[in-house]
């Protein structure tokens, strides 16, 4: 039977086929459905000897396929590999090349020898990945590790093939029917329903082994199937690495690994057995990678009794709500022995970072770090140097938890706590490596933050909208207003709104971003749903329930240090450090990134004390604010002051000392606000809520002050955090502390930072040391402190 070359029955592999063997340079394999025999004139085109070895010019469809090929080559030769350095495009930031190296590359561990062996693949304009560098030689002995199984034998024995040789290739379809899944009845479409694996008290005993192409209705079904398979073979499993969509952060693939994978715990042996599933557009999950070989002995077949399996399933549902929280229970000998969590931090990182932390702590006595421990294993890491902890005491009222590493595949789950300093610059408050994305991890992270900053709770926090983060914030920061990260919101809006008509998107954005008050938003939202028939839309229902965390009308009444509502927050480290930075460069890049930002802050400090912005009016309040504010904040105030002259104010209400003014822009009746003023205590507020959100008085209030001839701004409306001496921690607005504990913490950090400046200056020379010592001793006498 002949088949036309254009038929879809042909598959063109310009890469290594894991079921076959590479032939020279470009290999074209012609695969056929079951039962179809290739004609004798179908050939494998070959240009050389049959060898499974990389070479410059070898082409792959993806970087993952290149890694898979190099991994199989490594196993045959007798070494292991890991992912090395990557390079990004300067134009759009996408990955342009990758290196896959011998596991003994570098010197970060005692077991590494600095081996130079590697392959480097480069992405071409066509989207293909091509080997452009291959270093074959190793500087250590090769050979299979003890207990490691060799790779499966190739389908073809080594033979010299010439061009036009005829080879018959055995073939298995990518997805097949699962026969005899239950009482001899096939499972249609090759999709496993986990319920069909249960029968007459025999729970989860699969008659089908996993294979590439096997499909499941959900990730939970895939996990339960692999757990049942593992139990039948004599090992236990846990959830491994996951990958997320760059668009919306949703999970696109998962790995289920042998419980002995990795080296983070003494019981783990670095076992390579795993099953990876990938989500399809249909919503189903398909096995796309599988490794069955273990590097350790398997136990006798596990007997899983019905009672224990049901109990474990109930625990899974109650504790983790499915796989989203990534917590599982290992089942061994019909008993639940422990609950374990996955860890996205490589074992190498702990030793290197802990050594760095200890060195820093010897130099900086205020340096703080902590490591989360779960079931005897190191998990998340948190650290903050003395300068960051002091900054948190001054600028920790509005913080950002930057977990943007989750936007793409990452080498390290590096997160930062960021604040906004008195120059409107991002300031580093703390750093963390987050082991997993469970509620336990984030709860530990926030509790550790409180320990590091002496219990100071932020007024607001900008963080992702995952349920684990939401629950952790409510638990640890019950009084803190959680605002969702903009990148996740925009991704979800693109996903859902692009499927709808264009007029809906316009009306949706108008409702969200042009509603000045909560009442305006509520009315517009109701009208939007009714007009477009979206009252039962599940996504819009969910977002409405969380409206206080993302709709601007609900956010303006909370202090966010003026962090804009419609732009993504700038990364603190920029190009210096990100989730793709390798361990060997991490510490040096971290220090350079921190120093660059702190140098920028020092420059602004100098400018604020030595430069002055020209006054634009004769208003006393302008001179008052120029004297107090930093340059950056004064420019914001000055803009509001100048804009106030274009507004008209009308008294619309008065009762006793309370009066209200309608302030609108001249020639524009639509732009108007209501200002409420108390003559008794000079309290003032505006419906635009700029002061509540940013901490600077708005043009509407300034216009009312002009009408009332108020020539000086009350001190309560000049926030100390925006003044030039904010970093010196004066007690100007310490009365704003919400508890005695917070007040004490502010005073401690203020004194500690001032003392550190004396120490730094006094250590410059012996003469300065004597002067600094005398100043501090004299101060001690006045405090009734005697040495």
């Amino acid at each position: 039977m002949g088949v036309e070359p254009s038929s879809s029955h042909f598959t063109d592999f310009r890469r290594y086929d894991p079921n076959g063997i590479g032939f020279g340079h470009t290999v074209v394999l012609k695969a056929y459905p079951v039962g179809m025999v290739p004609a004798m004139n179908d050939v494998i085109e070959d240009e050389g000897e049959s060898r499974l070895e990389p070479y410059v010019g070898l082409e792959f469809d993806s970087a993952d396929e290149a890694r898979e090929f190099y991994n199989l080559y490594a196993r045959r030769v007798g070494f292991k590999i890991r992912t090395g350095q990557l390079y990004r495009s300067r134009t759009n930031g996408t990955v342009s090349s990758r290196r896959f190296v011998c596991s003994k590359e570098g010197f970060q561990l005692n077991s590494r020898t600095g081996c130079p062996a590697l392959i480097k693949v480069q992405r071409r304009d066509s989207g293909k990945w091509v080997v452009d560098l291959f270093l074959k030689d190793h500087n250590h002995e090769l050979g299979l590790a003890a207990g490691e199984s060799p790779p499966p034998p190739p389908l073809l024995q080594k033979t010299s093939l010439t061009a036009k040789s005829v080879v018959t290739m055995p073939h298995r379809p990518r997805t097949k029917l699962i026969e005899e899944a239950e009482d001899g009845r096939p499972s249609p479409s090759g999709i496993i329903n986990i319920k069909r694996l249960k029968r007459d008290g025999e729970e989860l005993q699969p008659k089908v082994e996993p294979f590439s192409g096997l499909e499941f209705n959900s990730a939970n079904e895939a996990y339960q199937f692999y757990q049942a398979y593992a139990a039948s073979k004599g090992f236990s499993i846990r959830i491994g690495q996951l990958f997320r969509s760059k668009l919306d952060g949703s999970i696109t693939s998962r790995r289920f690994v042998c419980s002995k994978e990795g080296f983070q715990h003494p019981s783990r042996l670095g076992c390579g057995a795993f099953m990876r599933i990938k989500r399809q557009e249909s919503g189903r999950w398909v096995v796309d990678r599988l490794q069955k070989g273990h590097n350790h002995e398997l136990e006798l077949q596990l007997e899983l009794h019905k009672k224990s399996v049901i109990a474990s399933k109930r625990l899974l549902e109650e504790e983790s709500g499915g796989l989203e929280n990534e917590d599982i229970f290992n089942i061994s000998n019909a008993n639940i022995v422990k609950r374990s969590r996955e860890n996205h931090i490589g074992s190498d990182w702990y030793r290197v970072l802990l050594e760095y932390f200890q060195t820093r702590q010897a130099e900086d006595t205020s340096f703080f770090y902590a490591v989360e421990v779960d079931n005897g294993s190191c998990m998340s890491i948190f650290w903050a140097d003395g300068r960051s902890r002091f900054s948190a005491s001054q600028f920790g009222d509005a913080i950002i938890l930057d977990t943007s590493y989750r936007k793409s595949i990452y080498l390290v789950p590096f997160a930062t706590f960021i604040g906004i300093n008195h120059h409107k610059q991002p300031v580093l408050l703390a750093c963390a490596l987050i082991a997993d994305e469970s509620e336990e991890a984030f709860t530990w992270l926030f509790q550790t933050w409180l320990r590091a900053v002496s219990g100071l709770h932020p007024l607001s926090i900008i963080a992702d909208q995952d349920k684990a983060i939401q629950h952790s914030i409510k638990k640890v920061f019950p009084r803190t207003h959680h605002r969702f990260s903009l990148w996740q919101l925009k991704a979800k809006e693109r996903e859902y709104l692009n499927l709808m008509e264009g007029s809906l998107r316009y009306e949706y954005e108008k409702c969200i971003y042009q509603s000045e008050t909560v009442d305006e938003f509520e009315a517009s939202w109701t009208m939007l749903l009714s007009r477009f028939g979206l009252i039962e839309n599940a996504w819009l229902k969910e977002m409405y329930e969380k409206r206080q965390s993302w709709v601007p009308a609900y956010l303006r009444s909370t202090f966010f240090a003026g962090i804009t509502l419609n732009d993504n927050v700038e990364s603190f480290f920029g190009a210096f450090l990100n989730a793709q930075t390798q361990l060997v460069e991490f510490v040096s890049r971290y220090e350079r990134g921190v120093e660059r930002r702190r140098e920028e802050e020092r420059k602004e400090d100098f400018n604020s004390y030595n430069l002055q912005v020209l006054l634009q009016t004769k208003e006393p309040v302008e001179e008052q604010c120029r004297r107090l504010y930093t340059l950056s904040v004064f420019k914001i105030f000055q803009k509001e002051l100048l804009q106030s002259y274009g507004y008209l104010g009308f008294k619309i209400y008065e009762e006793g000392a309370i009066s209200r003014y309608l302030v609108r822009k001249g020639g524009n009746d639509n732009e108007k606000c209501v200002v409420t003023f108390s003559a008794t205590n000079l309290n003032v507020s505006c419906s635009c809520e700029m002061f509540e959100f940013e901490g600077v008085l708005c043009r509407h209030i300034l216009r009312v002050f002009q009408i009332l001839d108020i020539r000086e701004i009350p001190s309560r409306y000049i926030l100390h955090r925006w003044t030039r001496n904010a970093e010196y921690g004066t007690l100007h607005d310490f009365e704003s502390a919400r508890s005695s504990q917070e007040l004490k913490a502010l005073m401690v950090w203020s004194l500690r930072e001032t003392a550190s400046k004396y120490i730094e200056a006094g250590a410059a020379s012996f003469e300065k040391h004597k002067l600094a010592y005398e100043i501090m001793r004299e101060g001690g006498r006045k405090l009734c402190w005697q040495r």
Side-chain angles (χ1 to χ4, degrees):
M1 172 180 174
V3 181
E4 292 296 324
S6 61
S7 169
S8 61
H9 294 302
F10 288 88
T11 304
D12 183 1
F13 297 89
R14 298 191 183 275
R15 53 182 169 80
Y16 167 70
D17 174 18
N19 291 326
I21 192 165
F23 304 106
H25 297 287
T26 300
V27 181
V28 180
L29 303 182
K30 297 178 179 178
Y32 300 82
V34 173
M36 181 179 290
V37 180
M40 290 302 292
N41 60 349
D42 291 328
V43 300
I44 293 178
E45 300 173 9
D46 174 48
E47 295 179 12
E49 187 179 1
S50 170
R51 302 290 297 171
L52 180 61
E53 186 170 287
Y55 57 87
V56 174
L58 186 60
E59 191 175 81
F60 302 91
D61 287 336
S62 68
D64 283 345
E65 288 185 357
R67 190 188 194 285
E68 187 175 326
F69 166 81
Y70 191 49
N71 185 46
L72 203 56
Y73 161 75
R75 290 183 58 209
R76 184 175 69 83
V77 173
F79 67 97
K80 293 183 178 180
I81 70 165
R82 56 187 174 84
T83 302
Q85 194 171 10
L86 61 79
Y87 302 88
R88 291 185 173 274
S89 166
R90 293 184 178 179
T91 57
N92 58 16
T94 58
V95 178
S96 58
S97 68
R98 279 188 174 277
R99 286 160 43 112
F100 304 114
V101 302
C102 174
S103 62
K104 292 185 179 293
E105 182 265 355
F107 298 95
Q108 292 91 338
L109 293 176
N110 292 334
S111 61
R112 297 187 182 174
T113 62
C115 181
L118 63 86
I119 66 167
K120 180 184 171 188
V121 290
Q122 185 87 20
R123 192 186 64 201
R124 297 295 168 84
D125 292 339
S126 64
K128 301 286 187 180
W129 292 75
V130 179
V131 176
D132 67 345
L133 177 63
F134 172 44
L135 300 180
K136 180 179 179 180
D137 295 333
H138 299 256
N139 65 359
H140 55 89
E141 292 185 2
L142 302 179
L144 294 175
E148 183 177 351
S149 303
L155 296 176
L156 297 176
Q157 298 298 323
K158 180 178 177 180
T159 180
S160 179
L161 295 178
T162 58
K164 306 300 181 183
S165 298
V166 179
V167 181
T168 302
M169 300 290 292
H171 174 74
R172 181 180 68 196
R174 185 168 179 80
T175 303
K176 69 178 182 180
L177 296 179
I178 303 172
E179 303 294 342
E180 304 293 335
E182 182 181 6
D183 294 330
R185 292 171 291 172
S187 175
S189 306
I191 302 170
I192 282 190
N193 185 333
I194 198 66
K195 295 177 181 178
R196 305 190 64 183
L197 299 177
K198 305 177 182 180
R199 181 179 79 242
D200 299 331
E202 295 182 12
E203 297 287 333
L204 299 174
Q205 296 294 332
K207 293 186 178 181
V208 179
E209 291 203 356
F211 59 85
S212 183
L214 185 59
E215 289 189 4
F216 301 91
N217 287 322
S218 69
N220 276 319
E221 285 191 357
Y223 167 71
Q224 293 180 39
F225 168 80
Y226 193 52
Q227 184 185 55
Y229 164 75
S232 70
K233 295 297 182 183
F235 66 98
S236 58
I237 66 168
R238 57 187 175 83
I239 299 174
Q241 194 173 17
L242 60 82
F243 298 92
R244 292 183 177 271
S245 166
K246 293 181 179 180
L247 291 177
D248 60 4
S250 63
I251 297 172
T252 57
S253 69
R254 281 189 174 276
R255 281 165 52 105
F256 306 125
V257 302
C258 174
S259 61
K260 294 186 181 295
E261 182 264 356
F263 299 95
Q264 292 91 339
H265 191 273
S267 65
R268 298 184 185 175
L269 305 172
C271 181
F274 73 91
M275 181 178 83
R276 195 181 89 164
I277 55 173
K278 191 171 185 179
R279 191 183 67 200
Q280 308 297 296
E281 291 183 1
S282 64
R284 291 176 178 144
W285 295 75
V286 62
V287 177
D288 70 334
R289 289 191 189 177
L290 181 67
Q291 175 61 264
K292 292 184 179 181
H294 297 259
N295 67 355
H296 56 91
E297 291 186 3
L298 302 181
E299 301 173 13
L300 295 176
Q301 180 171 330
L302 302 178
E303 297 292 336
L304 299 182
H305 299 297
K306 181 176 183 178
K307 183 177 180 180
S308 65
V309 173
I310 292 175
S312 70
K313 182 180 178 183
R314 185 181 300 117
L315 283 169
L316 278 170
E317 292 172 347
E318 292 176 354
E319 283 290 319
S320 65
L323 293 181
E324 286 302 314
N325 287 335
E326 301 149 21
D327 291 345
I328 67 168
F329 290 82
N330 287 338
I331 299 174
S332 178
N333 297 325
N335 294 315
I336 301 170
V337 295
K338 68 173 183 177
R339 187 183 71 177
S340 62
R341 289 161 46 195
E342 64 177 330
N343 190 343
H344 297 158
I345 304 172
S347 56
D348 298 357
W349 289 78
Y350 294 99
R351 182 183 64 81
V352 172
L353 287 183
L354 290 177
E355 287 181 0
Y356 171 68
F357 296 160
Q358 290 164 8
T359 301
R360 289 287 290 114
Q361 203 168 51
E363 302 167 351
D364 176 4
T365 56
S366 296
F367 190 95
F368 176 95
Y369 72 91
V371 179
E372 180 191 17
V373 177
D374 181 71
N375 286 324
S377 299
C378 292
M379 299 295 286
S380 300
I381 308 173
F382 176 99
W383 73 94
D385 64 12
R387 179 64 189 177
S388 290
R389 296 175 73 191
F390 174 70
S391 295
S393 73
Q394 300 299 307
F395 310 117
D397 44 8
I399 65 176
I400 304 156
L401 176 61
D402 183 359
T403 54
S404 54
Y405 71 85
R406 304 166 68 231
K407 293 182 183 180
S408 61
I409 297 174
Y410 54 83
L411 295 179
V412 56
F414 178 60
T416 51
F417 286 88
I418 305 299
I420 302 298
N421 70 8
H422 52 322
H423 302 299
K424 303 287 284 189
Q425 298 169 315
V427 59
L428 185 66
L429 307 181
C431 297
L433 301 188
I434 302 175
D436 64 356
E437 294 169 358
S438 64
E439 185 174 333
E440 284 92 336
F442 288 109
T443 298
W444 176 87
L445 183 67
F446 296 140
Q447 289 172 340
T448 306
W449 157 270
L450 287 179
R451 294 206 311 274
V453 299
S454 305
L456 293 173
H457 286 246
L459 294 170
S460 61
I461 181 172
I462 300 176
D464 293 346
Q465 65 188 84
D466 301 61
K467 289 182 179 179
I469 295 180
Q470 292 184 49
H471 294 164
S472 298
I473 289 175
K474 286 181 180 178
K475 183 185 299 182
V476 183
F477 303 139
R479 305 189 306 271
T480 299
H481 194 146
H482 177 197
R483 169 176 150 192
F484 293 159
S485 299
L486 188 66
W487 73 269
Q488 278 191 327
L489 287 173
K490 292 299 184 184
K492 287 291 186 183
E493 288 175 357
R494 285 194 299 269
E495 178 182 349
Y496 288 99
L497 297 181
N498 284 346
L499 301 175
M500 304 176 187
E501 56 183 286
S503 58
L504 168 62
R505 186 177 188 90
Y506 171 77
E507 294 296 334
Y508 169 86
E509 292 181 348
K510 180 180 177 182
C511 169
I512 301 302
Y513 299 108
Q514 294 185 27
S515 295
E516 294 294 332
T517 66
V518 168
D519 291 338
E520 282 184 30
F521 165 76
E522 295 287 352
S524 298
W525 184 267
T526 302
M527 187 181 301
L528 177 75
L529 299 187
S530 177
R531 175 182 172 185
F532 291 95
L534 297 171
I535 296 176
E536 298 302 322
N537 184 281
W539 176 68
L540 292 176
K541 272 186 176 181
E542 179 186 356
M543 295 306 293
Y544 179 75
E545 291 175 359
K546 302 293 184 182
R547 60 192 180 281
Q548 293 184 345
S549 293
W550 65 281
V551 176
Y554 287 93
L555 298 173
R556 292 194 188 101
S557 60
T558 301
F559 182 74
F560 281 98
I563 301 171
T564 179
L565 293 168
N566 51 13
D567 282 323
N568 283 313
V569 178
E570 178 186 4
S571 168
F572 179 83
F573 286 96
F576 277 95
L577 195 67
N578 54 44
Q580 278 74 41
T581 303
Q582 294 196 54
L583 176 58
V584 67
E585 299 178 304
F586 185 87
V587 170
S588 62
R589 285 178 171 269
Y590 163 79
E591 291 188 328
R592 284 161 55 200
V594 170
E595 180 55 31
R596 179 190 64 125
R597 287 292 193 181
R598 289 178 179 171
E599 177 61 27
E600 291 173 355
E601 182 176 351
R602 286 191 289 269
K603 287 179 180 177
E604 284 300 314
D605 284 340
F606 178 85
N607 291 340
S608 290
Y609 276 99
N610 294 280
L611 302 177
Q612 282 192 335
V613 179
L614 292 176
L615 297 177
Q616 300 290 326
T617 74
K618 295 182 179 180
E619 297 282 352
V621 294
E622 186 181 18
E623 172 58 35
Q624 177 193 9
C625 290
R626 183 176 72 167
R627 187 174 66 254
L628 297 174
Y629 282 143
T630 61
L631 288 179
S632 301
V633 178
F634 176 69
K635 289 177 181 177
I636 296 172
F637 172 83
Q638 190 179 56
K639 177 182 177 182
E640 293 298 312
L641 180 62
L642 294 174
Q643 289 289 332
S644 70
Y645 292 111
Y647 284 75
L648 304 174
F650 307 93
K651 184 183 290 187
I652 58 174
Y653 173 85
E654 183 173 12
E655 183 175 341
I658 304 298
S659 56
R660 290 195 184 96
Y661 292 82
L662 178 67
V663 181
R664 65 175 178 82
K665 190 171 185 178
N668 186 354
D669 291 339
N670 294 324
E671 191 174 333
K672 56 190 177 183
C673 289
V674 175
V675 174
T676 303
F677 176 76
S678 171
T680 303
N681 51 18
L682 300 184
N683 281 345
V684 66
S685 64
C686 179
S687 60
C688 78
E689 298 179 311
M690 176 176 172
F691 179 78
E692 288 77 6
F693 183 79
E694 189 164 0
V696 177
L697 288 179
C698 64
R699 60 194 68 177
H700 315 106
I701 289 177
L702 294 175
R703 184 60 185 141
V704 171
F705 280 3
Q706 293 161 13
I707 294 172
L708 297 174
D709 196 30
I710 296 177
R711 304 172 67 82
E712 183 175 295
I713 295 176
S715 60
R716 72 177 71 92
Y717 296 114
I718 298 181
L719 296 189
H720 175 61
R721 73 168 337 275
W722 294 136
T723 62
R724 291 188 296 178
N725 62 354
E727 65 171 358
Y728 295 107
T730 61
L731 299 178
H732 183 277
D733 68 345
F734 276 8
E735 60 269 18
S736 65
R738 287 169 288 174
S739 68
S740 59
Q741 180 187 11
E742 292 188 359
L743 176 60
K744 183 176 180 180
L746 286 170
M747 292 190 295
V748 166
W749 281 108
S750 172
L751 293 171
R752 181 177 291 169
E753 183 66 14
T754 303
S756 69
K757 292 181 183 296
Y758 276 107
I759 294 170
E760 184 177 348
S765 68
F766 182 68
E767 291 300 321
K768 290 184 177 180
H769 170 267
K770 289 195 296 183
L771 177 60
Y773 185 83
E774 287 299 322
I775 292 172
M776 295 176 72
R777 189 169 65 173
E778 180 61 27
R781 289 196 188 100
K782 292 181 179 180
L783 289 171
C784 301
W785 162 67
Q786 300 291 333
R787 286 188 60 86

